[in-house]
Amino acid sequence: VQLVESGGGLVQPGGSLTLSCVASGFIFSRYTMNWYRQAPGKERDLVAGESFGGERNYLDSVKGRFTISRDNDKNTVSLKMNSLKSQDAAVYFCIAQDWLLNEYWGQGTQVTVSS
């Protein structure tokens, strides 16, 4: 099983980034795909998720700014982030979760929001 995130980087407040996660080694279409983030000294947050049925959910603080989408043909999930704020800065992780709540994690990608 492998989850590889990309797309992180440095962006100014108000800017945009799109994170991508490429999955392999499991039946992608049967898994809920989530994006978590963790900043130093803070709790880990579930930022966005899309179930295998296509239902999406978002952390309240990112609603209207972030969009998660998955492509089951390409085994990818992305997180488009607009209007980024300093409090969005964190390491972002792609996680695959099955119906038994077993999880696979990517290595994470750093998002820095700073002027």
Side-chain angles (χ1 to χ4, degrees):
V1 172
Q2 194 170 24
L3 296 166
V4 180
E5 301 101 331
S6 62
L10 171 64
V11 64
Q12 292 185 341
S16 298
L17 279 177
T18 298
L19 307 182
S20 296
C21 174
V22 180
S24 60
F26 61 99
I27 303 174
F28 182 84
S29 61
R30 296 185 184 177
Y31 281 68
T32 290
M33 296 304 298
N34 295 319
W35 286 96
Y36 278 80
R37 70 185 180 191
Q38 187 156 27
K42 294 188 177 180
E43 300 255 330
R44 188 177 70 195
D45 289 325
L46 174 57
V47 177
E50 184 168 346
S51 73
F52 53 82
E55 295 179 1
R56 297 174 178 175
N57 62 280
Y58 296 95
L59 185 67
D60 282 347
S61 63
V62 308
K63 285 180 181 177
R65 299 189 296 121
F66 290 13
T67 303
I68 188 172
S69 63
R70 65 189 294 163
D71 185 333
N72 289 338
D73 292 330
K74 296 181 179 179
N75 286 6
T76 59
V77 60
S78 64
L79 184 68
K80 182 169 177 56
M81 306 185 294
N82 294 325
S83 303
L84 282 160
K85 305 175 182 180
S86 57
Q87 52 263 46
D88 296 319
V91 178
Y92 283 71
F93 297 91
C94 171
I95 296 97
Q97 185 183 73
D98 68 15
W99 67 282
L100 293 173
L101 304 184
N102 297 309
E103 293 181 336
Y104 301 125
W105 282 66
Q107 83 287 351
T109 185
Q110 178 73 52
V111 172
T112 303
V113 184
S114 175
S115 55

